[in-house]
Amino acid sequence: MIIRLKKDITLEEVSKLKSFFKDHKCQIKDASSDDVKVFGIIGDTSSIMESDVYAYKGVETITRIQVPYKKASKLIHPKPTVIDVNGVKIGGGNFVVMAGPCSVENRDQIIAVAESVKASGAQILRGGAYKPRTSPYAFQGLELEGLDLLLEAKKATGLPIVTEIQSEDSIPRFVRDVDIIQVGARNMQNFHLLKALGKIDKPILLKRGMSATVEEWLMAAEYILAGGNNKVILCERGIRTFEKYTRNTLDLSAVLAVRELSHLPVIVDPSHSSGRWSMVPDLSKAALAVGSDGLIIEVHNDPEKALCDGAQSLKPEKFDSLMTDLRKIAPIVGKKL
């Protein structure tokens, strides 16, 4: 429910209105701006009669929201959310590039790639310490050793790091050492994990599940937001369709849908969506063109020998060329890179 207030409403009238909704076990989100006074009412409002609300002086209009993702909804929070990660701002017209290897393999590899992507203009280092794989026999990541190596790379380059979490047990370590905690596609509906991440003060990168609708994706974000953590970044990484030529099907329409429905920043993963390095540059440019807030790209200094996803990883020189192209496109579409 959205309550638009009259401009001349008094503080006493506002206090009475807040008490009314608190008595109905509802939360109040103040979404006012310089031009308009608006309250977003979050909770079960089905028992609240509009006539009872209009009885309060200062209420101008009432709009009921039908969407179930109230905290993620643009109706409640009309201004785009901007998330600050160690000085790197995601959302609000900024275009942020996160880059690095699919998985951390050894010290020389992660340091070399980190230095390379930073020199090309990447603002955040990505790298997998824990790797959920379809096959139990595939490389599962270096785990805690991988986190230690990411921290070394961060120290060497100054780049914030983003890496994927697997379980609630790891949260204390991730809160201490990781700048953006990634929830992978397979865990998008791991509701216990999402609830736990809602209780911490750390940016969360929430990847869309491989078969999830946009509403299911936003509802997953709602679990984190409902816990009190407002630092959620959405990531479109391709969905599963009948097409087999590419690894997944990049759904750029979902980026536009999120921009219409939600205030949360949304980035694109062109590497996982295609599974082919040759497609990554053009898909990246398309993601920028439709208005996404950034990219997360896999870059490897020796992809032919990569332990994970070498086929979709750009070599450093290809990534550098892509960054040059993105810098040319960004101002044309109103983005800052």
Side-chain angles (χ1 to χ4, degrees):
M1 179 179 286
I2 297 175
I3 311 295
R4 180 166 178 159
L5 307 174
K6 296 176 182 177
K7 289 186 177 181
D8 61 353
I9 190 170
T10 66
L11 292 176
E12 183 182 358
E13 290 165 349
V14 168
S15 179
K16 289 179 179 178
L17 190 60
K18 286 182 176 180
S19 296
F20 171 80
F21 285 110
K22 286 179 180 177
D23 289 343
H24 284 79
K25 307 273 192 266
C26 292
Q27 299 178 47
I28 300 168
K29 170 74 174 180
D30 190 341
S32 301
S33 66
D34 293 338
D35 302 319
V36 63
K37 292 183 179 179
V38 177
F39 281 173
I41 309 304
I42 301 167
D44 184 5
T45 60
S46 58
S47 63
I48 297 176
M49 302 293 292
E50 291 183 14
S51 57
D52 292 338
V53 181
Y54 276 122
Y56 287 83
K57 290 178 64 178
V59 174
E60 188 168 290
T61 61
I62 301 169
T63 304
R64 288 194 179 271
I65 301 175
Q66 300 303 317
V67 294
Y69 43 88
K70 295 186 170 54
K71 286 182 177 289
S73 173
K74 199 172 187 178
L75 294 172
I76 289 289
H77 194 301
K79 291 185 178 180
T81 288
V82 179
I83 297 172
D84 190 307
V85 183
N86 294 4
V88 178
K89 291 181 170 56
I90 303 174
N94 303 294
F95 191 78
V96 174
V97 179
M98 311 176 189
C102 174
S103 61
V104 180
E105 297 171 0
N106 56 64
R107 184 182 185 279
D108 290 343
Q109 172 241 20
I110 190 61
I111 298 292
V113 175
E115 291 176 341
S116 174
V117 298
K118 181 182 180 180
S120 296
Q123 298 114 306
I124 294 173
L125 175 65
R126 64 144 297 154
Y130 293 84
K131 294 301 302 177
R133 307 296 297 278
T134 301
S135 170
Y137 308 111
F139 177 61
Q140 305 288 318
L142 298 180
E143 300 183 348
L144 291 178
E145 181 186 352
L147 281 178
D148 291 337
L149 293 175
L150 279 171
L151 286 175
E152 279 197 54
K154 176 182 177 179
K155 185 177 180 180
T157 62
L159 291 175
I161 55 177
V162 54
T163 192
E164 183 172 348
I165 194 168
Q166 290 289 292
S167 67
E168 295 174 57
D169 297 340
S170 303
I171 288 179
R173 174 70 191 272
F174 273 66
V175 168
R176 188 185 76 191
D177 293 336
V178 177
D179 300 294
I180 304 176
I181 300 174
Q182 176 182 313
V183 176
R186 292 173 175 84
N187 272 318
M188 189 204 81
Q189 290 183 311
N190 182 342
F191 299 125
H192 287 291
L193 177 60
L194 299 181
K195 287 179 181 179
L197 293 174
K199 297 175 183 177
I200 66 174
D201 183 24
K202 183 72 70 169
I204 309 298
L205 179 66
L206 180 64
K207 286 199 166 187
R208 182 184 181 187
M210 60 186 71
S211 300
T213 64
V214 170
E215 181 172 303
E216 288 169 338
W217 187 19
L218 290 173
M219 286 302 294
E222 191 78 7
Y223 269 91
I224 301 170
L225 297 169
N229 186 350
N230 298 316
K231 301 175 181 178
V232 178
I233 306 157
L234 300 171
C235 180
E236 161 59 34
R237 46 80 70 197
I239 54 174
R240 178 172 290 171
T241 68
F242 54 82
E243 183 53 63
K244 298 297 182 184
Y245 187 73
T246 53
R247 181 172 181 175
N248 294 290
T249 299
L250 179 58
D251 184 9
L252 289 179
S253 64
V255 174
L256 295 170
V258 166
R259 291 183 63 208
E260 289 184 1
L261 297 170
S262 179
H263 56 90
L264 299 174
V266 54
I267 71 169
V268 169
D269 179 348
S271 303
H272 280 90
S273 57
S274 64
R276 294 170 175 263
W277 69 264
S278 60
M279 295 184 178
V280 169
D282 286 341
L283 291 177
S284 298
K285 296 169 194 174
L288 171 56
V290 300
S292 71
D293 297 296
L295 298 164
I296 183 165
I297 299 175
E298 293 188 356
V299 179
H300 198 290
N301 54 348
D302 192 4
E304 292 88 349
K305 296 180 181 178
L307 298 179
C308 179
D309 290 348
Q312 65 194 36
S313 300
L314 291 181
K315 290 184 177 180
E317 59 269 22
K318 290 287 186 182
F319 177 72
D320 188 69
S321 177
L322 170 59
M323 290 298 293
T324 298
D325 290 343
L326 293 174
R327 275 190 282 268
K328 294 176 182 176
I329 298 170
I332 298 173
V333 297
K335 291 287 185 177
K336 293 176 289 184
L337 173 56

